[in-house]
């Protein structure tokens, strides 16, 4: 009984830790996007009429989360996504379209990784670093096209028809630059950690 209870506690603790990590990073990405990137963009690119950003960091976070956690990333990021929506995006939770859009936005990447694993007959998490990076960027490229297309189809009634294609293109570019930025930050972080680990410690 004690051993079973201990295993349950470990599962709950691991779940809570992953939710805290993934949701926390999502909120951080939204905060940086809305409070840093968008104000700078509004100053230098005031002509951009849509809410698309030139560097959408949450996209990068959702791709990396989906890469490591698959479908479970939806659960782990869920609380952070809801909180970010309330604080920043403010899509109405009384609308069915909000739930459809959020599901499309955060379930597309796990679905793409699932298909890529099936096509390659391999687990992406067991690939060498070079292939893992290529898989991540490939999935990011596909997602950066597919997600904006689906979101624009969902909200086609509220997007001016004369700006539809341009808005779609802006979302695609913002998503991909957001992914590349997050990947660059991760690569730099890992490099620093490796340098620190290989440096001789002082007595």
């Amino acid at each position: 009984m004690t051993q079973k209870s201990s295993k349950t506690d470990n599962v709950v603790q691991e779940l809570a830790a992953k939710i805290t990590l993934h949701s926390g990073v999502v909120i951080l990405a939204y905060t940086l996007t809305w409070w840093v990137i968008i104000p700078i963009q509004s100053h230098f690119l005031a002509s951009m009429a849509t809410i698309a950003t030139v560097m959408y960091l949450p996209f990068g976070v959702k791709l990396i989360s989906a890469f490591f956690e698959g479908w479970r990333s939806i659960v782990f990021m869920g609380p952070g996504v809801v909180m970010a929506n309330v604080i920043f995006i403010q899509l109405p939770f009384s609308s069915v379209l909000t739930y459809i859009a959020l599901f499309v936005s955060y379930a597309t990447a796990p679905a793409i990784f699932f298909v890529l694993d099936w096509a390659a007959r391999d687990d992406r998490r067991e690939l060498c670093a070079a292939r893992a990076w290529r898989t991540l960027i490939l999935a990011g490229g596909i997602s950066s096209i597919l997600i904006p297309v689906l979101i624009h189809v969902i909200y086609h009634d509220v997007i001016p028809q004369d700006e539809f294609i341009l808005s779609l293109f802006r979302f695609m570019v913002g998503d991909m630059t957001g992914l590349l930025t997050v990947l660059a930050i991760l690569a730099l972080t890992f490099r620093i950690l490796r340098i620190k680990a290989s440096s001789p410690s002082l007595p």
Side-chain angles (χ1 to χ4, degrees), residues 67 113 116 127-141 183:
F67 177 87
F113 281 122
L116 290 177
L127 299 175
C128 66
R131 286 187 61 194
W133 282 98
R134 286 197 295 269
T135 300
L136 187 51
I137 292 175
L138 174 61
L183 289 177

Side-chain angles (χ1 to χ4, degrees), residues 135-157:
T135 300
L136 187 51
I137 292 175
L138 174 61
I142 298 172
S143 298
S144 69
I145 296 173
L146 188 56
I147 293 176
V149 167
L150 294 175
I151 295 297
H152 276 65
V153 170
I154 293 171
Y155 287 108
H156 70 279
D157 289 337

Side-chain angles (χ1 to χ4, degrees), residues 155-170:
Y155 287 108
H156 70 279
D157 289 337
V158 298
I159 301 174
Q161 291 302 308
D162 58 339
E163 294 184 7
F164 193 90
I165 300 299
L166 182 58
S167 173
L168 186 60
F169 176 74
R170 286 169 174 167

Side-chain angles (χ1 to χ4, degrees), residues 30-172:
Y30 273 101
T31 301
L32 291 173
T33 300
W34 255 257
W35 289 356
V36 178
I37 296 173
I38 288 182
I40 294 174
Q41 172 181 308
S42 298
H43 180 75
F44 291 101
L45 299 170
S47 61
M48 288 186 68
T50 69
I51 62 170
T53 68
V54 295
M55 189 185 298
Y56 190 60
L57 300 180
F59 179 81
V61 173
K62 80 174 73 170
L63 259 293
I64 293 170
S65 179
F67 177 87
F68 287 105
E69 301 295 347
W71 296 104
R72 297 182 301 174
S73 64
I74 301 173
V75 175
F76 297 154
M77 289 187 293
V81 171
V82 171
M83 188 176 299
N85 180 76
V86 171
I87 298 172
F88 301 108
I89 309 176
Q90 298 176 346
L91 292 174
F93 284 108
S94 58
S95 172
V96 176
L97 290 182
T98 296
Y99 298 96
I100 296 174
L102 289 176
F103 179 78
V104 165
S105 182
Y106 287 87
T108 299
I112 290 173
F113 281 122
F114 176 82
V115 171
L116 290 177
D117 280 354
W118 174 81
R121 300 184 182 277
D122 210 342
D123 187 338
R124 63 190 175 281
R125 288 159 294 193
E126 297 179 358
L127 299 175
C128 66
R131 286 187 61 194
W133 282 98
R134 286 197 295 269
T135 300
L136 187 51
I137 292 175
L138 174 61
I142 298 172
S143 298
S144 69
I145 296 173
L146 188 56
I147 293 176
V149 167
L150 294 175
I151 295 297
H152 276 65
V153 170
I154 293 171
Y155 287 108
H156 70 279
D157 289 337
V158 298
I159 301 174
Q161 291 302 308
D162 58 339
E163 294 184 7
F164 193 90
I165 300 299
L166 182 58
S167 173
L168 186 60
F169 176 74
R170 286 169 174 167
F171 273 88
M172 291 177 180

